[in-house]
Amino acid sequence: GFWSLATPAIWTEIRHGGYDLLWLHGYAYAANLLALAAARMSGVKVALRAESHLLLYRPGLRRVLRNGLIAALFRQFDWFFAIGSRNADYLRYLGVRASRIRRVPYAIDNERFGAARDAKDEPSRPVALFAAKMVNRKDPLSFLEAARLLEERGINVTLRMAGSGPMESQLRERAKSLGLRNIEFTGFVNQGAMPALLAAADIFVATSDWEPWGLVVNEAMAAGLAIVASDDMG
């Protein structure tokens, strides 16, 4: 929530720290806005790097009101660091001049995940991987539905679900009730184990209803996987 990051010491640090630039990652927390106010009071330049894109918000009065507030807030920033083309489109849509936008793309360690690709063994049958927190907006039920359809059609493929979350028990029960033999659950996978997890798959599936970015898709591409993704990835 908004007050979960409330750090009063930020005010003194920025006001008296002699900084040239304040780089904020988002504006959704009290600490972000307090830091912004301190920078404005101190003459410190402020840059923003955030994840929004136009597809995240449905048309309607709420979006119009929100856009008006965000456009006003954006006038307090000197620079904007765009994570990608959709993010840059969003900034321009809210009135940010192109000259104030710098490209600072989301990036991963390509070499680390590429090494996993190079070490890939050929599996006995193709593996499609879902790796995400198991929550509604990630739409893991669509992945299970794909498993059901593939099994019904006799297509020899393993569907692997990596991750944990509120829907995990529901998904496991659903797979069990359908009698699916082509689905595997790994449970939570630490980031350190992601290269090996990706190296053991052939196809990465991102079913999210909406996603500010979806950095795991970058990781999967670097690991040499084919990508199946929804249209609403950032």
Side-chain angles (χ1 to χ4, degrees):
F2 180 74
W3 295 108
S4 64
L5 293 180
T7 314
I10 283 178
W11 178 269
T12 302
E13 178 66 32
I14 294 172
R15 290 276 283 150
H16 303 291
Y19 297 105
D20 300 302
L21 179 73
L22 170 68
W23 179 345
L24 286 179
H25 288 267
Y27 45 81
Y29 298 100
N32 298 128
L33 299 183
L34 184 64
L36 174 61
R40 294 288 80 180
M41 290 283 290
S42 309
V44 176
K45 299 286 186 181
V46 189
L48 175 69
R49 187 169 187 261
E51 296 183 323
S52 293
H53 59 81
L54 292 170
L55 296 179
L56 286 178
Y57 309 105
R58 294 178 180 176
L61 180 60
R62 184 177 179 182
R63 174 171 170 172
V64 171
L65 294 173
R66 184 188 184 282
N67 285 350
L69 291 171
I70 299 302
L73 179 66
F74 279 3
R75 288 194 284 273
Q76 301 303 313
F77 291 89
D78 300 284
W79 302 101
F80 296 83
F81 296 157
I83 62 173
S85 57
R86 281 187 171 180
N87 183 227
D89 290 344
Y90 172 81
L91 295 170
R92 287 189 292 268
Y93 176 79
L94 289 181
V96 177
R97 296 194 307 274
S99 60
R100 296 166 64 202
I101 300 172
R102 294 289 180 269
R103 187 170 180 267
V104 183
Y106 252 145
I108 62 161
D109 186 344
N110 286 297
E111 193 171 309
R112 176 172 173 246
F113 288 93
R117 174 195 61 207
D118 297 337
K120 188 189 294 289
D121 293 323
E122 287 298 323
S124 56
R125 64 180 186 173
V127 175
L129 175 67
F130 171 99
K133 189 173 183 180
M134 293 180 178
V135 294
N136 274 321
R137 80 172 179 86
K138 303 286 187 179
D139 194 17
L141 284 168
S142 283
F143 192 75
L144 270 190
E145 178 64 10
R148 183 186 67 80
L149 291 171
L150 289 165
E151 187 155 293
E152 283 182 358
R153 297 171 187 177
I155 297 174
N156 194 27
V157 59
T158 296
L159 288 96
R160 187 169 293 147
M161 299 196 79
S164 60
M167 294 181 68
E168 184 177 2
S169 59
Q170 175 190 350
L171 292 162
R172 288 177 181 269
E173 285 298 318
R174 175 69 173 158
K176 186 177 179 180
S177 68
L178 291 172
L180 297 178
R181 295 164 296 173
N182 61 352
I183 194 86
E184 297 177 0
F185 291 89
T186 71
F188 175 76
V189 176
N190 187 279
Q191 177 62 23
M194 280 300 293
L197 180 74
L198 292 166
D202 303 285
I203 303 164
F204 187 83
V205 183
T207 53
S208 297
D209 290 334
W210 58 271
E211 199 70 58
W213 182 264
L215 201 61
V216 68
V217 175
N218 296 68
E219 295 170 348
M221 288 193 291
L225 276 67
I227 306 297
V228 178
S230 70
D231 292 335
D232 293 332
M233 305 293 286

